[in-house]
Amino acid sequence: MAASALDIERNPKFKQLVAARKSLGWTLSVIMLLIYFGFILLVAFNKDLGNFLGTPLYSGAVATVGIVIGLLVIISAFVLTGIYVVKANKRYDELTRQIVEESR
Amino acid sequence: MTRIKTLVSGAALAALASPAFADAIAGGAQKQATNWTAIAMFAVFVVFTLGITYWAAKRTRSAAQFYTAGGGITGFQNGLAIAGDYMSAASFLGISGLVYTSGFDGLIYSVGWLVGWPIVTFLIAEPLRNLGKFTFADVASFRFKQAPIRVMAACGTLVTVAFYLIAQMVGAGSLIKLLFGLDYAYAVICVGVLMIVYVTFGGMVATTWVQIIKACLLLAGATFMAFMVLWQFGFSPEALFAKAVDVHPKHLAIMQPGSLINSPLSAISLGLALMFGTAGLPHILMRFFTVADAKAARKSVFYATGFIGYFYILTFIIGFGAIVLVSTNPDFLNPALVAAGKNGIEAIRGGNNMAAIDLAGAVGGNVFLGFISAVAFATILAVVSGLTLAGASAISHDLYATVMKRGQANEQDEIRVSKIATLILGVIAVVLGILFEKQNVAFMVGLAFSIAASCNFPVLLMSMMWRGMTTRGAVYGGFMGLMSALVGVIFSPAVWEATLGNPKGSALFQISNPALFSMSIAFLGIYIVSKLDRSKRAQRDREGFDAQYVRSQTGIGAAGASAH
């Protein structure tokens, strides 16, 4: 390998890659944490919230708001992961390839 | 109902496994008549997977082959294998059983068990793949003094694996006794022997393919069951829910949160253990080294998240299907319990963990029931194989090759040590499985997750993200996390009161899972000790960060990534 680690770290493309990865990774992590702990707190405080999660989905329905929210949390985990993979495939791999190329 | 409550208030994460194994663990599983259909189907699975092991054995020559299948698994295949590791018998039978008895509460566990995966994708998968070779200790010790970190990581791995393995073994024995009508001891020995054969001869190649095949069978079987249930209700979930509410003794209460989570503190602590324990399980982390590069690692978690999420939605439908089709059908109820005045939910044949199995009989007859039973057995086998391989790798790669031989071990010797370690771990697992037959081991899975979240995960994350971490900081912080998780679980209501028989309310910590505290202790320990560390080694540790960082981000120099 021709370039040292410090050289690579000075490469603007490396800085770009790191910045992109950090902002996307942490943003999505925080969103996931908020969704999940939001759900857990809704469950924990359900009684104080007047059984919000047990509210019928529409008048006369047996399905409740809680069931739909639970399923949405499951789907959101998949969707967020999907967003990450699409964005990462688009940006990281090309940038990484260029950095590796330039460090030879 | 009381069982569910104790289980939940106490066993915390163990609830992952414990609903499934509650009967098993309590030693209450009654032996069933020998089920020949199930045994025949399982025999087919065993013959087929032994064939794969034979094929894998011929191509498992190098250490890389043995530990990581030579990095030749594709992202999609690895996604299935990861999902397979996660869709254990506990989550299949346990969550559907929990939905069967309590409805909505089952969903809380499904959700908690899934949401760790996105975090693994966003923060861990790619740098892990870029830095590691065989075990997660490769990553955690990358720029540090090898011996102390390896010893700590190996402790974290072995303790996690041991507790997880005992819980699986005890569950396996009872489940097989119930499903196949085999004796408990024979069942445990059978699991132990097959697992040793898969791992020693076929290494990671065989372990991965066993896991992939089982994942496909389980997904196909669960899909069929959910389809048949929904088909009976014209594919209207509302109609299914309406009928379930009508026949379930708790009526509308099954559509809303019950008594599962009572205090917000407990809820958050449990949530943390669920979420970050996933990111610290050694047998799962090891899977990331079986793919070619960071891109494949990223893809594999995406597929895994999809499969697992889909599977949990299926178990939810299966649980509700069982309420409607099993609890109302006298064929699937225990006549003695019905005569004693129990309702349909309580009187289910074999206990609530059998909800999914009995539903298989209700929608697909005896042959399908045999199929699902065989798949449940296969599931246990595949999961214990993965666990054992992870434990054996910690012994041979981290302790033997790196610590004892200072990285100078001969590759063939290392593989031999690994196989011996597998054999010993297998024998220990069988012996402990038999010894613990009548014990309540539900807390052990909770313990495994807490330790993974409080020791393995903080050290791994900080080593990759924080320049300031030093060898001393990692070792102190890691052990503090491990010890506090251990102490927190022992003095929790589940172990101190329910298992050790001390009076109610006497437990030192009235919280079901220690993760909130033990994780904080680990992170704080790493931070403070590293900050105070003025040694020469600490300076080298910090200086090593640049090289590690570049590799973790770009994969330059990563094992296997450039092997073309």
Side-chain angles (χ1 to χ4, degrees):
Chain A
M1 198 188 315
S4 75
L6 289 173
D7 289 338
I8 297 174
E9 278 188 310
R10 269 185 229 112
N11 184 338
K13 282 179 182 157
F14 182 81
K15 287 185 180 145
Q16 212 184 328
L17 174 70
V18 169
R21 195 174 259 158
K22 258 194 187 155
S23 72
L24 181 64
W26 284 103
T27 310
L28 291 176
S29 298
V30 169
I31 295 175
M32 190 71 249
L33 284 166
L34 286 177
I35 292 176
Y36 175 53
F37 284 102
F39 174 71
I40 288 291
L41 289 177
L42 273 182
V43 171
F45 287 109
N46 188 44
K47 281 205 185 79
D48 305 312
L49 295 169
N51 193 13
F52 167 71
L53 293 175
T55 321
L57 203 50
Y58 49 89
S59 129
V62 178
T64 54
V65 174
I67 292 206
V68 174
I69 292 181
L71 293 178
L72 283 179
V73 177
I74 292 184
I75 294 167
S76 74
F78 180 64
V79 171
L80 288 177
T81 317
I83 292 173
Y84 178 83
V85 171
V86 169
K87 291 207 171 204
N89 283 349
K90 225 181 259 168
R91 294 193 62 188
Y92 300 177
D93 298 327
E94 179 53 26
L95 266 177
T96 307
R97 201 189 54 77
Q98 289 175 11
I99 295 165
V100 173
E101 200 67 29
E102 285 167 24
S103 70
R104 273 189 216 280
Chain B
M1 194 50 232
T2 30
R3 186 201 295 136
I4 291 285
K5 261 188 198 148
T6 3
L7 200 154
V8 160
S9 63
L13 231 204
L16 301 175
S18 58
F21 297 144
D23 278 297
I25 285 152
Q30 74 271 40
K31 203 175 142 182
Q32 300 279 308
T34 312
N35 183 340
W36 290 108
T37 329
I39 291 180
M41 290 200 193
F42 182 68
V44 173
F45 174 84
V46 168
V47 168
F48 190 63
T49 48
L50 286 178
I52 287 175
T53 308
Y54 177 74
W55 165 80
K58 286 199 292 188
R59 53 197 67 207
T60 301
R61 296 272 175 263
S62 66
Q65 290 284 342
F66 184 80
Y67 291 124
T68 62
I73 305 289
T74 68
F76 182 77
Q77 291 164 347
N78 193 40
L80 267 174
I82 292 174
D85 267 331
Y86 224 56
M87 299 183 298
S88 59
S91 61
F92 176 49
L93 303 178
I95 291 182
S96 52
L98 196 56
V99 173
Y100 179 72
T101 50
S102 320
F104 181 87
D105 284 352
L107 197 57
I108 300 174
Y109 279 92
S110 313
V111 168
W113 229 3
L114 182 69
V115 291
W117 286 108
I119 305 291
V120 173
T121 323
F122 305 152
L123 303 179
I124 306 244
E126 294 170 47
L128 189 77
R129 177 63 194 89
N130 281 337
L131 290 173
K133 203 172 158 202
F134 297 153
T135 64
F136 90 89
D138 289 337
V139 182
S141 67
F142 195 85
R143 63 190 153 107
F144 304 103
K145 193 161 190 283
Q146 290 294 309
I149 308 267
R150 295 270 178 180
V151 169
M152 192 215 34
C155 286
T157 301
L158 288 172
V159 174
T160 312
V161 166
F163 286 117
Y164 215 118
L165 205 54
I166 295 173
Q168 293 285 334
M169 278 302 209
V170 173
S174 309
L175 210 61
I176 291 161
K177 183 163 119 184
L178 206 65
L179 295 177
F180 291 79
L182 272 180
D183 257 358
Y184 179 90
Y186 288 138
V188 169
I189 292 170
C190 178
V191 169
V193 169
L194 282 169
M195 155 190 115
I196 291 170
V197 170
Y198 289 146
V199 177
T200 48
F201 292 108
M204 187 51 115
V205 180
T207 307
T208 302
W209 280 104
V210 168
Q211 199 60 270
I212 291 173
I213 293 167
K214 162 241 142 164
C216 293
L217 291 174
L218 186 55
L219 282 169
T223 303
F224 176 74
M225 276 156 78
F227 177 86
M228 291 303 280
V229 167
L230 286 174
W231 178 64
Q232 302 211 3
F233 291 91
F235 295 98
S236 155
E238 175 67 17
L240 170 67
F241 291 146
K243 180 76 181 162
V245 164
D246 194 34
V247 301
H248 199 291
K250 288 187 207 160
H251 299 297
L252 263 177
I254 59 170
M255 303 301 288
Q256 61 205 36
S259 51
L260 201 65
I261 286 183
N262 28 36
S263 91
L265 205 62
S266 259
I268 289 178
S269 197
L270 172 65
L272 283 172
L274 283 164
M275 213 170 187
F276 297 109
T278 305
L281 289 177
H283 65 299
I284 301 265
L285 292 174
M286 207 173 162
R287 291 229 163 271
F288 289 104
F289 307 126
T290 64
V291 293
D293 53 23
K295 186 178 183 185
R298 177 198 303 150
K299 268 197 208 158
S300 58
V301 216
F302 172 62
Y303 289 123
T305 312
F307 288 129
I308 297 167
Y310 170 68
F311 179 73
Y312 285 154
I313 293 175
L314 293 181
T315 54
F316 194 64
I317 299 169
I318 289 170
F320 271 92
I323 294 174
V324 174
L325 299 172
V326 172
S327 79
T328 55
N329 185 340
D331 288 350
F332 296 108
L333 304 180
N334 183 339
L337 289 176
V338 177
K342 300 280 186 190
N343 62 45
I345 296 289
E346 291 164 335
I348 181 169
R349 193 174 68 177
N352 355 341
N353 310 316
M354 291 298 111
I357 304 277
D358 284 332
L359 180 69
V363 300
N366 208 27
V367 174
F368 190 62
L369 187 142
F371 172 77
I372 289 292
S373 303
V375 170
F377 196 168
T379 295
I380 293 169
L381 206 49
V383 172
V384 294
S385 300
L387 282 167
T388 308
L389 182 57
S393 309
I395 294 173
S396 60
H397 183 62
D398 297 330
L399 294 182
Y400 171 77
T402 315
V403 177
M404 278 170 59
K405 294 279 173 181
R406 297 178 190 282
Q408 305 296 316
N410 172 310
E411 196 170 304
Q412 290 309 315
D413 284 344
E414 186 177 334
I415 298 178
R416 199 167 310 127
V417 171
S418 200
K419 291 184 174 180
I420 296 169
T422 304
L423 192 67
I424 295 172
L425 282 174
V427 171
I428 293 176
V430 168
V431 171
L432 290 179
I434 292 174
L435 282 180
F436 279 89
E437 178 183 357
K438 302 252 185 283
Q439 300 296 310
N440 184 338
V441 292
F443 69 91
M444 286 190 178
V445 178
L447 189 54
F449 262 73
S450 307
I451 290 171
S454 322
C455 171
N456 307 355
F457 172 72
V459 172
L460 186 62
L461 189 76
M462 295 291 261
S463 75
M464 294 193 302
M465 305 267 172
W466 186 42
R467 180 187 298 270
M469 184 163 101
T470 68
T471 304
R472 198 180 291 168
V475 170
Y476 277 81
F479 273 118
M480 279 154 76
L482 202 162
M483 292 315 291
S484 55
L486 212 57
V487 169
V489 171
I490 292 172
F491 293 101
S492 73
V495 176
W496 191 250
E497 294 165 18
T499 310
L500 299 178
N502 290 297
K504 215 166 168 49
S506 67
L508 204 54
F509 308 113
Q510 287 296 329
I511 182 166
S512 54
N513 195 290
L516 180 59
F517 301 101
S518 52
M519 275 179 76
S520 313
I521 289 172
F523 277 110
L524 270 177
I526 292 173
Y527 182 78
I528 293 171
V529 176
S530 297
K531 278 279 176 200
L532 294 176
D533 192 352
R534 299 258 177 273
S535 63
K536 274 227 171 73
R537 179 71 230 187
Q539 209 180 335
R540 272 176 65 195
D541 292 341
R542 293 185 192 110
E543 280 165 2
F545 186 76
D546 291 296
Q548 178 200 312
Y549 196 54
V550 166
R551 174 160 156 185
S552 79
Q553 294 293 325
T554 62
I556 294 173
S562 49
H564 44 237

